[in-house]
Amino acid sequence: MMRRARLIIAAVVVVAALIYVIIGGIRGAVVYYITPSELLAQAEQAREKTIRVGGRVVPGSKTWDPATQELRFRLTDGSATVAVQYHGAPPGLFTEGQGAIVEGSWDQAGVVRARSIIVKHSEEYAPPTPRP
Amino acid sequence: MISILGSTAIAAAAVSSLAGLIFLLRGRGRGDQRLIDRGHRAVIALFVAVTAAVVALEVALIGVDFSVRYVAANINRATPLLFRIIGLWGALEGSILLWAWVLAGYAALVAVRYRGRHQETVPLALAVLLGITSFFLLLMLGPANPFGRLSPAPPDGRGLNPLLANHPLMAVHPPFLYLGYVGFAVPYAFAVAALLSRTLRDEWMTVTRRWTVAAWSFLGVGIILGAWWSYEVLGWGGYWAWDPVENAAFMPWLVATAFLHSVMVQERRQLLRLWNHALIIVTFLLTIFGTFLTRSGILGSVHDFTQSLIGPLFLIFIGAVLVFSVGVLLLRRDEVRDTGSLPAYVSRESLFLLNNVVLLAIAATIFVGTTFPLLAEAVAGVKLTVGPPFFNRLTVPLAMALLVLMATATLLPWGPAPRGALRRFVGPGLLSAALVAVLSVAGVRGLTLGALAVIIFAAAAQLAEFHRGARAMGRAEGRPYPLALVALFSANRRRYAGYLAHLGLALVLAGVAASSAYRTESDHTVSRGEAFSVPGYLLRYDGAALSRHPDKLVVAAAVSILPPTALEAVPSRPAAAVPALATLYPSERLYPQQRTPIPTPAVRSTWRGDLYLVLLAVGPDGAVVLKVITNPLVPWIWTGGLLMALAGLISIWPGRRG
């Protein structure tokens, strides 16, 4: 019985430690996913956190300078729009009018400094449909 | 026409499945061998019917029959033949059909192989397999019908997602993944059957050992090929992103790896019975859960997935399997109670238990990280992601602990560690110390050096076991060393194949460690004839060319690798005149069904690492923007991963002493 009790205690300790470490780890690694409207609504809290902003790339807003590798565009969710700045070339599948998610931080000037751009693409691909 | 045939085949499969279920359960209940035989035949009929459905869908895909909605949605007339064929697993309905087909195939193999043996368990195990198949057939009869019709048929289809049609690895990655995933249904079915019938107390694992190892190997191949595909196609120069789709395949592999180790303890000491049952149940649940994650649309949004019945049906099925399995386990808990206890604190047995704890901790970490965003959205309505830092921070130390256990358990014998066992650590210790010193002189520092030290020690321990065994055998039988090594391996195939798999893991982790620490990435805007350098390479852009293919337009940039000394040796000679060592063609591919071109990377691999080029943009003036990534030891990952799977298959290959 002693052995069994020891085994149970060991199991409890291991599981508790794992839960503690996982919860601690998750807290530091969660990245909130918000829309441009939500970002503007909580502009102050969002500063200095890593955020993911998702929206549609505003047609005509993309500028890219191959010499300086500066990419700028605007993301919209229909009601609010935020400016995004990124150092590097636009990723494949990045198109104006299509969905994109950027991960980065929200700076004092009100620009999202993107560290990465994730282009939404679904496995079941639908042809481009004209938007009203 | 084809859709009627296909739908009929699926209906026939459903009928065979239900009929077989009834025959087997009744036949077993009444002890009626004729009914059981009829059940076996129903399993074969099920396999034939699902095969017919697969053939029907393939005929529709190859013959571009757009009256079948699945065909119209996933391929078009320009799709090359290979990608029409693999359109079978290009989307939801087809992959459900593939699942059902593989499962029916496994069930038919069980029915043929175990006819007339293990009369108490096999009918029950087959019944469990039929129950699982019925669920997938139900999905196809309802919300995931691969033979739904489109009337009128459109003149052309949408075409396969270009990312899937971009690389032949897509032809092999999903089938291996499914062979692995679905394969775990067999040991699960036998485990449950053994519990229910109160027979085969320890035997069910030996009966299903080959199946488990085969499923584990196939799943491993599937995971590695998936990582490879992502590396070769997606253009980010990485192979693993802790994406939920990847995690979904990795979790069952981890738990199955734990199972493969702990069954050895049960075989030798008749211990850990309850534990092993729990592990195989969890493995199977994770394969269903993984299919649910990747196939229900829940990853896009928790709220999207309720728009189709598939997600809720999967959840109900997972719940049912969970309740059933745990119920059976609790009902028979007295039968699976262990009688003895582990022989000593320091023994191979107890290290195996620790190995299980670590593997499960890794799986639990990944499970929490994968499901947390789903729970947060479902419960609190916030959308969030758990980034790779979470996974890396937790899994890297756990992986290191796993390697230390792997090395120690390999060097220690079964049972209480004898005096002098520590001596076995000296050889591998010295060997790895020497290698680590070399790495340190070469400039490897800090955590990377620590990680590589652990990896090298773990690998050296495996080599030491080969060496020790071969030397002993050579002395005992007077054979020369190489022959002794071969004889040793074939005489203890299972054991040494295990060590080979360990070596494979060390290779994988060495590749991961080196490519994480020493990857370089830079973007270059270059005009024709311009030379530029990246760490370890001197490159020159030689111009771009456009080519037309039936299904796509390709713009390829020619980038030459120059001898590193080209510039210094003849400074007067322009770089444009230097002959190239090799030329790479990173390209952009434009598919008619997609408005933006898809960059397709070009990779040059050597054993030391990869040069990885992505064509980001082609300017009007002939200048291009290239992303250049140097990635040390990446080929070691593919080699090691495939070695692990190969070792698994070697260990179960039928032979005189299999």
Side-chain angles (χ1 to χ4, degrees):
Chain A
M1 234 36 227
M2 262 309 282
R3 238 198 152 89
R4 198 180 161 77
R6 256 186 290 176
L7 200 67
I8 290 173
I9 292 170
V12 169
V13 169
V14 167
V15 169
L18 187 65
I19 291 175
Y20 176 78
V21 174
I22 287 180
I23 289 177
I26 282 241
R27 244 191 227 149
V30 158
V31 178
Y32 285 93
Y33 176 99
I34 52 182
T35 62
S37 310
E38 286 165 342
L39 177 61
L40 294 180
Q42 37 176 287
E44 282 316 308
Q45 294 105 289
R47 274 190 225 289
E48 298 183 8
K49 269 194 216 163
T50 300
I51 47 168
R52 271 192 184 194
V53 189
R56 198 159 57 87
V57 181
V58 177
S61 70
K62 172 186 149 188
T63 60
W64 187 56
D65 182 353
T68 61
Q69 301 274 310
E70 282 299 314
L71 174 69
R72 290 160 190 273
F73 58 92
R74 292 200 302 279
L75 272 183
T76 183
D77 57 5
S79 54
T81 302
V82 291
V84 182
Q85 205 178 341
Y86 174 70
H87 183 81
L93 305 180
F94 180 91
T95 324
E96 295 183 338
Q98 298 279 45
I101 301 167
V102 299
E103 185 171 313
S105 54
W106 173 233
D107 75 357
Q108 296 294 327
V111 175
V112 178
R113 302 266 168 193
R115 278 191 293 276
S116 62
I117 301 176
I118 303 143
V119 181
K120 276 190 189 175
H121 54 79
S122 72
E123 187 179 69
E124 273 127 290
Y125 174 75
T129 44
R131 279 168 196 275
Chain B
M1 184 56 196
I2 281 289
S3 30
I4 296 173
L5 270 176
S7 305
T8 315
I10 287 179
V15 171
S16 318
S17 184
L18 288 177
L21 203 59
I22 294 167
F23 292 150
L24 288 167
L25 292 180
R26 281 208 151 175
R28 194 181 167 279
R30 296 186 192 158
D32 182 345
Q33 190 56 41
R34 272 193 27 244
L35 267 180
I36 292 179
D37 285 344
R38 212 180 278 174
H40 278 241
R41 281 198 292 277
V43 174
I44 308 291
L46 162 75
F47 176 61
V48 171
V50 183
T51 306
V54 170
V55 170
L57 192 55
E58 282 296 356
V59 168
L61 283 165
I62 294 168
V64 286
D65 182 348
F66 295 127
S67 69
V68 179
R69 184 184 290 124
Y70 183 83
V71 177
N74 289 296
I75 62 161
N76 61 23
R77 290 185 192 282
T79 309
L81 180 63
L82 172 70
F83 292 100
R84 284 187 209 171
I85 295 172
I86 71 172
L88 178 65
W89 48 83
L92 170 78
E93 294 86 352
S95 20
I96 298 285
L97 179 57
L98 182 64
W99 230 104
W101 189 38
V102 175
L103 187 53
Y106 278 127
L109 271 177
V110 170
V112 171
R113 204 180 144 80
Y114 297 110
R115 164 163 280 172
R117 288 158 59 193
H118 308 298
Q119 306 278 359
E120 287 294 309
T121 23
V122 171
L124 277 175
L126 278 176
V128 171
L129 290 175
L130 288 181
I132 305 163
T133 319
S134 301
F135 168 71
F136 285 91
L137 293 171
L138 176 77
L139 282 183
M140 284 190 281
L141 290 173
N145 179 4
F147 296 101
R149 294 174 72 179
L150 212 51
S151 178
D156 200 358
R158 280 195 206 147
L160 199 63
N161 179 340
L163 289 173
L164 301 184
N166 213 1
H167 202 286
L169 272 176
M170 251 310 128
V172 279
H173 154 62
F176 272 109
L177 205 60
Y178 277 60
L179 278 174
Y181 252 32
V182 183
F184 289 117
V186 176
Y188 166 79
F190 272 90
V192 171
L195 280 176
L196 282 174
S197 66
R198 301 172 193 251
T199 52
L200 295 183
R201 203 161 119 98
D202 292 316
E203 212 186 322
W204 67 271
M205 298 166 327
T206 16
V207 170
T208 56
R209 193 178 68 80
R210 286 209 166 123
W211 299 83
T212 317
V213 176
W216 176 87
S217 303
F218 290 142
L219 184 58
V221 174
I223 292 171
I224 283 290
L225 293 182
W228 202 352
W229 171 82
S230 155
Y231 183 73
E232 294 277 337
V233 169
L234 296 183
W236 59 302
Y239 40 82
W240 195 262
W242 298 109
D243 183 270
V245 178
E246 299 164 349
N247 297 347
F250 193 30
M251 289 185 285
W253 186 87
L254 287 167
V255 181
T257 309
F259 177 76
L260 288 182
H261 287 89
S262 66
V263 290
M264 288 188 240
V265 179
Q266 184 172 345
E267 278 176 38
R268 291 197 167 248
R269 306 260 176 231
Q270 290 77 48
L271 291 175
L272 306 179
R273 285 198 187 92
L274 182 72
W275 179 255
N276 285 330
H277 274 100
L279 284 183
I280 198 61
I281 288 170
V282 170
T283 304
F284 176 67
L285 276 169
L286 283 173
T287 64
I288 303 283
F289 180 72
T291 314
F292 160 73
L293 266 188
T294 49
R295 286 303 170 198
S296 66
I298 193 172
L299 293 173
S301 158
V302 172
H303 305 294
D304 275 355
F305 101 108
T306 42
Q307 304 199 340
S308 141
L309 260 178
I310 293 167
L313 282 176
F314 253 108
L315 274 189
I316 292 171
F317 181 61
I318 292 173
V321 174
L322 183 67
V323 169
F324 171 72
S325 317
V326 174
V328 171
L329 202 53
L330 286 180
L331 197 71
R332 296 283 190 261
R333 64 181 182 284
D334 291 335
E335 317 272 317
V336 291
R337 190 157 283 161
D338 294 338
T339 38
S341 58
L342 289 178
Y345 283 110
V346 182
S347 62
R348 204 179 248 195
E349 288 86 340
S350 58
L351 290 173
F352 272 33
L353 194 59
L354 277 179
N355 136 306
N356 272 223
V357 171
V358 174
L359 281 167
L360 289 188
I362 298 176
T365 303
I366 298 173
F367 185 80
V368 173
T370 309
T371 50
F372 188 73
L374 306 178
L375 286 178
E377 193 187 353
V379 175
V382 283
K383 284 213 80 164
L384 50 82
T385 59
V386 175
F390 165 76
F391 294 99
N392 292 337
R393 235 179 354 236
L394 273 86
T395 52
V396 169
L398 285 170
M400 290 300 123
L402 191 67
L403 283 173
V404 172
L405 289 171
M406 184 175 103
T408 321
T410 304
L411 294 173
L412 286 184
W414 291 100
R419 243 167 231 277
L422 269 180
R423 237 180 303 155
R424 296 188 186 173
F425 287 73
V426 174
L430 288 177
L431 178 64
S432 32
L435 277 171
V436 169
V438 171
L439 284 177
S440 168
V441 169
V444 181
R445 290 280 180 275
L447 283 177
T448 311
L449 187 63
L452 286 173
V454 175
I455 294 167
I456 291 171
F457 179 66
Q462 314 305 317
L463 295 175
E465 271 306 287
F466 275 105
H467 176 65
R468 207 170 56 84
R471 210 179 40 182
M473 193 162 219
R475 272 194 204 140
E477 303 184 10
R479 298 191 204 203
Y481 188 84
L483 286 184
L485 200 60
V486 172
L488 176 79
F489 195 92
S490 49
N492 306 283
R493 188 139 48 95
R494 186 174 170 197
R495 174 166 168 198
Y496 288 99
Y499 297 156
L500 208 56
H502 288 169
L503 276 177
L505 178 67
L507 285 179
V508 171
L509 293 179
V512 171
S515 62
S516 311
Y518 296 107
R519 171 192 153 114
T520 71
E521 178 177 335
S522 52
D523 290 354
H524 302 264
T525 306
V526 283
S527 45
R528 200 182 157 143
E530 191 178 332
F532 57 106
S533 65
V534 297
Y537 296 92
L538 181 64
L539 303 173
R540 182 186 63 211
Y541 166 55
D542 286 342
L546 175 83
S547 57
R548 274 166 213 282
H549 300 257
D551 59 331
K552 58 185 178 269
L553 281 176
V554 177
V555 180
V559 180
S560 293
I561 303 174
L562 304 182
T565 51
L567 282 189
E568 298 138 29
V570 255
S572 59
R573 206 163 94 180
V578 177
L581 293 175
T583 306
L584 292 181
Y585 298 93
S587 62
E588 285 197 318
R589 299 184 178 184
L590 187 65
Y591 290 81
Q593 65 264 37
Q594 185 104 30
R595 275 188 301 189
T596 24
I598 293 181
T600 302
V603 188
R604 181 173 190 259
S605 293
T606 64
W607 69 272
R608 300 165 55 131
D610 287 356
L611 174 69
Y612 188 107
L613 301 176
V614 189
L615 177 59
L616 291 175
V618 183
D621 53 350
V624 293
V625 187
L626 292 166
K627 182 189 284 299
V628 183
I629 299 170
T630 59
N631 236 348
L633 302 199
V634 167
W636 292 34
I637 300 173
W638 324 136
T639 314
L642 296 179
L643 179 65
M644 289 176 88
L646 187 68
L649 295 178
I650 288 175
S651 80
I652 56 168
W653 200 257
R656 275 170 301 156
R657 311 188 45 161

